[in-house]
Amino acid sequence: MSSIKLGIDVLLEENLDLVTNKKVALLSHASAVNKEYKMTLELLHEHPDITLIKLFAPEHGFYGTAQDMEAVSDATDSLTGLPTISLYGKTIETLTPKPQDLEDSDVLICDLQDIGSRYYTFIYTMALCMKVCGKLKKRVIILDRPNPLNGITVEGDVLDPNFSSFVGLYPLPVRHGMTIGELAQHFNETQNFHCDLTVIKMQGWQRDMYWDDTGLEFVPPSPNMPSLNAALVYPGMCLLEATELSEGRGTTKPFEWFGAPYIKAKDFAAHLNALNLEGVYFRPIHFKPSFQKWAGIECHGAQIHVTNRNTFKPYHTGLKILETIIKDYPNDFQWREKPYEFVTDKPAIDLLTGSNAFRITHSKNN
């Protein structure tokens, strides 16, 4: 069993006075569990000295059943009977909690499992809650959790604020190297939220730890983040969301499998391997997504195998994959043109890379 004491455990064992005799709202999800696999929701709801009055849910819903960019409605929690307010509805306005939804609570506890990439929306749900709580003078308690990709390695360009969106609300590198508690402190300071913020730090976590060094079980925080392997490649492979290529959604290996019907798998994998990218090998594969892009149609492409995670650069690798596809299949490759994360006036690739530089450099007219 892990020797790490998570933020939820430290709160209940050492900082209970912060929530005793307080009306508590909880921003969390089902993957926020302690080392005995019990949800933070259950631990707080069952505690005799804690009065839990309401829940807030990020993208995918509290129990992680909704797909990416799928609107989730407010509901009554089936386990506790508490009202659950969705912070990922049909409009951009639903991403921010209404002041009246927080006015009846004394403190907001946030326990969310992040995966260490700028695109992952949970950190911005947290930030927008902090922003509202700052205006309402409500205390926010962040229960810290490990960054699965370690707390040292940083990679990728810092977001240009002109390309801010829900996959990059504030300037961060793509692989940011911070825990969710550290991100909360960073946002509070750099964005002037003036939030009464308390971060309950972990005990026993070391910055050089990947998730499998922690001794904790990886509980998928979203439907297409099933494993540490998916999280390792996500900072680069998420870029494929900005194209009409399949990034493996609708398969058993999201973000590890990728391709399209027009790709010649063996040649494509060989071209990628010829780049001699560090810490990675590409194996030709054939797959048929069950939903989303190319659903029910056989695709051809590659599986990304991380052979050395200490030298592997996921974001750089993702860019090189796109460059190779654009070069090999210029007449077939297409950028995503549909709205992306509530944005209609900027291409998805610009939102993900954090500027328009990559798209312009690799446009068909160049």
Side-chain angles (χ1 to χ4, degrees):
M1 184 173 288
S2 175
S3 60
I4 292 175
K5 189 178 287 187
L6 297 167
I8 177 60
D9 299 311
V10 178
L11 173 74
L12 296 180
E13 294 176 17
E14 302 179 22
N15 300 103
L16 194 60
D17 59 300
L18 295 176
V19 292
T20 301
N21 299 320
K22 301 286 195 304
K23 294 179 181 178
V24 177
L26 174 65
L27 167 62
S28 191
H29 52 177
S31 60
V33 299
N34 69 359
K35 59 187 177 183
E36 281 84 30
Y37 314 108
K38 197 160 187 178
M39 286 189 298
T40 291
L41 168 61
E42 297 174 277
L43 294 167
L44 297 182
H45 181 66
E46 295 170 3
H47 199 288
D49 298 321
I50 297 175
T51 304
L52 189 61
I53 65 168
K54 123 180 2 177
L55 310 178
F56 291 92
E59 184 178 7
H60 309 294
F62 199 94
Y63 293 98
T65 56
Q67 288 295 325
D68 64 304
M69 291 183 273
E70 180 181 337
V72 179
S73 301
D74 295 349
T76 299
D77 178 55
S78 59
L79 180 66
T80 63
L82 293 173
T84 304
I85 297 169
S86 171
L87 296 179
Y88 198 92
K90 294 181 179 179
T91 65
I92 195 169
E93 289 76 19
T94 62
L95 304 179
T96 303
K98 299 181 181 66
Q100 58 266 33
D101 290 332
L102 284 160
E103 284 177 344
D104 56 352
S105 60
D106 300 312
V107 59
L108 174 68
I109 293 177
C110 172
D111 194 4
L112 294 167
Q113 181 59 60
D114 183 42
I115 61 155
S117 178
R118 183 180 73 207
Y119 322 127
Y120 218 55
T121 63
F122 297 160
I123 61 176
Y124 307 118
T125 298
M126 173 189 70
L128 292 174
C129 286
M130 289 171 55
K131 186 175 183 179
V132 174
C133 286
K135 294 177 181 178
L136 295 174
K137 308 300 181 185
K138 301 284 185 180
R139 168 172 271 181
V140 176
I141 297 174
I142 308 295
L143 306 181
D144 212 2
R145 290 185 170 272
N147 181 328
L149 307 185
N150 78 47
I152 296 175
T153 310
V154 175
E155 187 196 358
D157 297 325
V158 174
L159 175 85
D160 178 340
N162 292 316
F163 293 87
S164 174
S165 73
F166 206 49
V167 287
L169 203 52
Y170 307 112
L172 285 175
V174 174
R175 184 175 175 182
H176 51 67
M178 288 185 271
T179 68
I180 196 162
E182 291 166 343
L183 285 166
Q185 292 172 320
H186 174 73
F187 292 149
N188 203 32
E189 294 168 4
T190 61
Q191 304 305 315
N192 298 312
F193 289 159
H194 306 293
C195 177
D196 179 6
L197 177 66
T198 299
V199 176
I200 306 297
K201 296 181 179 180
M202 296 172 283
Q203 297 176 6
W205 181 72
Q206 304 297 320
R207 300 206 71 86
D208 62 350
M209 287 180 171
Y210 284 83
W211 187 269
D212 54 4
D213 295 321
T214 67
L216 298 165
E217 185 73 20
F218 187 92
V219 179
S222 57
N224 293 285
M225 194 56 59
S227 65
L228 175 59
N229 284 342
L232 281 171
V233 301
Y234 181 77
M237 300 310 293
C238 183
L239 296 173
L240 272 62
E241 290 187 9
T243 74
E244 290 304 321
L245 294 156
S246 169
E247 67 275 11
R249 279 188 162 89
T251 77
T252 57
K253 293 287 185 181
F255 301 111
E256 296 180 68
W257 290 359
F258 59 100
Y262 56 80
I263 289 176
K264 295 180 179 179
K266 186 176 181 179
D267 292 344
F268 178 55
H271 292 172
L272 291 174
N273 287 321
L275 298 173
N276 293 315
L277 299 172
E278 290 186 290
V280 66
Y281 181 81
F282 297 93
R283 181 177 63 87
I285 62 163
H286 311 269
F287 62 95
K288 185 183 293 185
S290 60
F291 58 83
Q292 293 207 4
K293 288 182 279 187
W294 304 110
I297 299 173
E298 186 169 304
C299 292
H300 317 283
Q303 177 171 353
I304 181 170
H305 294 271
V306 178
T307 57
N308 186 336
R309 65 189 182 186
N310 295 317
T311 60
F312 174 56
K313 296 180 180 179
Y315 183 68
H316 176 70
T317 300
L319 294 178
K320 289 299 182 181
I321 288 171
L322 287 179
E323 289 177 359
T324 301
I325 294 172
I326 293 169
K327 179 181 177 181
D328 286 0
Y329 302 96
N331 297 324
D332 298 294
F333 175 83
Q334 290 182 308
W335 294 113
R336 178 190 175 107
E337 296 182 355
K338 299 185 292 292
Y340 186 71
E341 290 291 357
F342 305 99
V343 176
T344 59
D345 62 343
K346 292 182 177 69
I349 189 62
D350 294 4
L351 303 178
L352 289 168
T353 57
S355 77
N356 59 10
F358 181 82
R359 177 179 54 83
I360 291 175
T361 301
H362 296 89
S363 68
K364 293 180 180 180
N365 296 326
N366 285 346

